[in-house]
Amino acid sequence: MVCIYCGGETRVSNSRRQSRNNQVWRRRQCLVCGATFTTHESVELESALSVRSDDKLKPFLPDLLLKDLMNALKDRQDTPTAAREVLATVVKKLLALPQKPVFATTDISKATSEVLKRFDKRAHLRYIADHPSRQI
């Protein structure tokens, strides 16, 4: 990776797996200017997972699910943080399903509903109300 400050080469001085959010944390140091910075590396879900909708395959777009979660959790003071945490939990739940890497929209709705039900019952009810066409 190149340095974010000068564009020089960097080396990894420390690396740790973050199992909670399926990422790798790396501390990097520039060999040219000596700057130190941290990166978080994760899989690009859009290229790794697909959604089957109307017999067509589309890339899984976490931002669309995040938008739905933001709406479902809109009564909370910590809406953005809560929505990102719930999204990470839903993705982890989806990755544990045997039918990966292709999911039906109902798989995603069911996993989201289950996570929201444990996290915030009001948000769970709002999510169900906003998705009546999906069989949850």
Side-chain angles (χ1 to χ4, degrees):
M1 180 166 189
V2 297
C3 177
I4 59 172
Y5 301 108
C6 73
E9 286 293 315
T10 62
R11 71 173 175 84
V12 176
S13 59
N14 195 353
S15 183
R16 295 184 187 161
R17 185 173 180 271
Q18 305 278 306
S19 59
R20 181 174 170 213
N21 52 8
N22 205 20
Q23 290 183 340
V24 176
W25 172 93
R26 295 190 198 282
R27 175 71 72 188
R28 297 178 178 274
Q29 186 171 24
C30 180
L31 301 174
V32 177
C33 71
T36 303
F37 59 95
T38 302
T39 61
H40 296 270
E41 299 172 17
S42 62
V43 173
E44 187 177 87
L45 295 173
E46 293 89 345
S47 65
L49 302 176
S50 299
V51 178
R52 184 176 308 282
S53 177
D54 302 325
D55 290 332
K56 295 179 186 174
L57 281 181
K58 299 176 183 174
F60 174 73
L61 301 174
D63 289 345
L64 293 178
L65 183 54
L66 182 62
K67 184 180 131 201
D68 286 345
L69 291 170
M70 293 279 285
N71 185 47
L73 295 161
K74 66 184 175 187
D75 290 338
R76 296 177 61 95
Q77 289 182 344
D78 64 341
T79 299
T81 304
R84 282 192 301 274
E85 291 294 325
V86 170
L87 176 64
T89 305
V90 170
V91 167
K92 197 170 191 175
K93 192 172 188 72
L94 288 172
L95 290 173
L97 293 176
Q99 62 266 37
K100 63 180 175 280
V102 178
F103 302 104
T105 54
T106 54
D107 296 331
I108 297 168
S109 295
K110 183 176 179 184
T112 304
S113 178
E114 289 172 3
V115 171
L116 279 174
K117 189 173 188 177
R118 286 182 311 195
F119 185 75
D120 186 317
K121 297 214 185 294
R122 184 185 307 167
H124 171 250
L125 293 173
R126 183 175 289 122
Y127 181 79
I128 290 174
D130 290 343
H131 297 87
S133 63
R134 297 185 189 165
Q135 301 163 2
I136 297 176

